[in-house]
Amino acid sequence: MGGAIRITEVTITPVAFRDPALLNAVGVHEPYALRAIVEVSTDQGLCGLGETYADEDHLRRLRSAAGAIVGMDVHALGAMHQRVAKVLGASTGSDGHGLTGTITADGTVDRVFSPFEVACLDVQGKAAGRPVSDLLGGAVRECVPYSAYLFYKWGSHPGGEPDSWGEALDPQGIVAQARRMVDEYGFQALKLKGGVFPPEQEIAAIRALREEFPDRPLRLDPNAAWSVETSIDVGRRLEGVLEYLEDPTPGIEGMARVAREVPMPLATNMCVVAFEHLAPAVERDAVQVVLSDHHYWGGLHRTKLLSGICQTFGMGLSMHSNSHLGVSLAAMTHLAAATPHLTYACDTHWPWKSEDVVQAGALSFADGSVQVPKGPGLGVELDRDALARLHERYLACGLRTRDDTGYMQRIDPGYERKVPRW
C-alpha cells in the first residue's frame, strides 16, 4: 500500500472501568478509572488505536488537536506534533492528583500528541503488514518483563461489595497480595506503592517481602511523601534490599541531596517528566533511573529519544504505569521490546482491572512477561460491545477528573494532603 495515508476522522471515546480502593500518598483511587480511546480513521480504510487519560481538561485539548490533524498523512508525525503545539499554544496541563509532577507547556503538547502518534503508528504497521516494534527499529526481546504493582488497599470501596483481592493494610496483607501476583502472573520484580503509612511500617513491609521473596528485585515508591532527612534514613536502612527507591522526596534538588547519601539508585516519574527536566537532573546527579511513560513523553518515538539521552548520560530506564487498558499495554510492550536500554521490568496496573476494550487473546502474562504481539500494528483490536459498555458507564458514573484526595476527604473529612508528609 503506497502513497500517503490521510486521516479522515478522529474519534475520542472516554470510558470508565472499575478500580479497587488502592491507597497512595495523596488519597485513594475512586471506584472508576477514566481513560480515553482514540481511533484514527484513514482514506485507505485503515483505523489506528491510541489510549490516554480522560480528565475533562485533557479531553478538551484532545478534541482541539483531533480537528487539527484531520487531512494529514499518518507518516507526517513531526509536522503533526508541530500542528498540535500550534493549536494548544501555551496551554498548560496540571497534575491535579499530585502524582506525576510539574506539567509544562511542552509537556502538555507531548501528552496530547501521544495517543495520536500511537494510533498513526498502528495504521502504519497495518499498512506495511509489520508490528509497531518493527517501526521503532525492531524488537530486541520477544517478551517484555513487567513488575507486580503492590498497593495498600481497603477490602472494598465504602458501601461497596468486597473485591477479590481483599484488604492489605499491613506487611502480612502486602505479602499475601504479592504472593497472589506472583502465583497468577509470574512477576519477577515487586514494587510497593508507599507514602501511605509512616515509613517504619513501610520498611517492615519491604523487609517482609524480602523474607518471602529472597531473590526478586524490590522497589518502593512513596510518591515524594518524605522529607530529605526521612528519605536518607529510609534509604540507608534498606541498603542491599531495594533495586531502586522511587521519588522519595519532592523536586530535583531534594532528590539530589538524597542521592548523595543513600546506597541505591533513585528513580523518578515525578521530578523528570519532560525533556526540559533532564539537563538539571543530570547536572545535579539527582536521578539514576528515569521511569519513561509514552503517555506523557510524547509517544513512542519521543520515548526512544529519551532512551538515547539516558544512555548517553549513564541513567537507567524503566517504565511508569497508570491505570490502563489493553491499547496502552500493547503500545508499552512494543516500545519496551524495541528499546534496548530499557533493562528494568516495567510497571503495570494490569492485574487490578477486571475489564477491557480490546478483544481477548492478543495480550497475556507468562513468567511476569508479555509476549510482543505478532500481528500488524499494535496487534490488538477493539471489542466494540465492551467499548460501548464502558462509555455508557463513563456517562453514568459522574466522574470527570481524577481526584484521589477529594475522594479520601469525602470518606475521612480530617484527611489532609501534605508534601512531604513525614
Side-chain angles (χ1 to χ4, degrees):
M1 191 175 290
I5 305 175
R6 300 208 172 271
I7 298 170
T8 56
E9 184 180 12
V10 178
T11 305
I12 300 166
T13 307
V15 298
F17 60 97
R18 290 185 292 271
D19 206 12
L22 307 178
L23 299 164
N24 57 44
V26 298
V28 62
H29 286 206
E30 294 173 282
Y32 299 102
L34 306 179
R35 298 293 275 185
I37 302 302
V38 172
E39 299 174 70
V40 169
S41 300
T42 69
D43 61 358
Q44 296 194 19
L46 298 171
C47 181
L49 301 177
E51 180 186 331
T52 184
Y53 317 109
D55 285 3
E56 212 161 29
D57 286 346
H58 188 61
L59 284 174
R60 177 174 52 78
R61 295 186 182 95
L62 288 172
R63 290 169 179 142
S64 296
I69 68 172
V70 169
M72 297 192 74
D73 183 350
V74 297
H75 298 93
L77 296 175
M80 195 178 296
H81 188 273
Q82 290 177 335
R83 190 171 293 188
V84 169
K86 183 176 181 180
V87 167
L88 296 182
S91 174
T92 304
S94 64
D95 175 25
H97 50 75
L99 296 174
T100 60
T102 302
I103 303 177
T104 63
D106 287 346
T108 299
V109 172
D110 282 342
R111 288 168 193 247
V112 172
F113 173 70
S114 174
F116 301 123
E117 186 239 31
V118 171
C120 287
L121 288 171
D122 192 20
V123 172
Q124 290 180 32
K126 289 172 179 175
R130 310 291 296 189
V132 163
S133 53
D134 281 0
L135 306 181
L136 301 174
V140 297
R141 49 186 71 92
E142 293 185 357
C143 296
V144 172
Y146 286 87
S147 64
Y149 210 154
L150 311 176
F151 280 82
Y152 291 105
K153 64 182 295 294
W154 298 329
S156 67
H157 288 279
E161 292 294 320
D163 62 55
S164 66
W165 287 90
E167 183 179 88
L169 297 173
D170 55 24
Q172 293 72 31
I174 292 295
V175 168
Q177 185 185 109
R179 173 50 62 192
R180 177 175 166 185
M181 289 261 188
V182 169
D183 290 347
E184 292 187 11
Y185 295 89
F187 290 117
Q188 301 302 304
L190 308 173
K191 170 176 168 175
L192 174 62
K193 177 67 80 174
V196 176
F197 294 114
E200 197 70 39
Q201 291 178 238
E202 297 184 354
I203 291 171
I206 290 292
R207 293 196 180 281
L209 287 169
R210 173 51 71 231
E211 183 174 352
E212 180 74 12
F213 304 99
D215 301 321
R216 282 174 167 79
L218 302 180
R219 308 160 181 181
L220 175 59
D221 173 20
N223 276 126
W226 302 338
S227 67
V228 167
E229 293 73 22
T230 298
S231 301
I232 292 171
D233 177 60
V234 174
R236 287 173 172 171
R237 292 170 66 185
L238 291 177
E239 180 173 4
V241 180
L242 293 180
E243 179 182 34
Y244 58 65
L245 177 59
E246 180 181 338
D247 286 309
T249 202
I252 288 174
E253 188 54 46
M255 290 281 282
R257 290 171 60 193
V258 175
R260 290 194 291 267
E261 303 293 338
V262 299
M264 71 283 292
L266 298 188
T268 188
N269 74 283
M270 293 184 70
C271 70
V272 179
V273 294
F275 286 95
E276 59 215 86
H277 300 149
L278 286 163
V282 170
E283 181 181 11
R284 293 167 176 78
D285 194 21
V287 174
Q288 292 71 53
V289 181
V290 174
L291 275 71
S292 64
D293 185 329
H294 76 270
H295 301 90
Y296 58 69
W297 283 95
L300 309 190
H301 282 298
R302 288 176 71 78
T303 305
K304 291 273 289 186
L305 173 61
L306 168 66
S307 173
I309 294 170
C310 289
Q311 187 169 8
T312 298
F313 290 101
M315 303 162 78
L317 194 67
S318 189
M319 188 179 286
H320 167 256
S321 165
N322 208 325
S323 299
H324 64 83
L325 296 166
V327 177
S328 280
L329 182 64
M332 293 161 66
T333 300
H334 282 287
L335 174 60
T339 306
H341 190 58
L342 204 160
T343 57
Y344 291 91
C346 304
D347 291 347
T348 181
H349 285 64
W350 188 260
W352 294 114
K353 69 167 191 57
S354 57
E355 48 202 337
D356 209 338
V357 296
V358 301
Q359 295 177 14
L363 301 166
S364 62
F365 281 81
D367 297 323
S369 296
V370 176
Q371 186 174 25
V372 182
K374 300 298 186 185
L378 291 175
V380 297
E381 298 294 337
L382 282 180
D383 179 331
R384 291 284 173 187
D385 291 339
L387 180 68
R389 183 171 62 252
L390 297 190
H391 178 58
E392 286 299 319
R393 184 182 294 149
Y394 170 84
L395 296 175
C397 75
L399 299 180
R400 293 297 178 265
T401 298
R402 178 177 174 177
D403 185 6
D404 294 13
T405 302
Y407 182 47
M408 177 67 90
Q409 289 172 338
R410 293 195 295 276
I411 298 162
D412 176 7
Y415 182 83
E416 292 183 73
R417 183 161 134 184
K418 296 179 181 178
V419 179
R421 187 176 295 276
W422 289 284

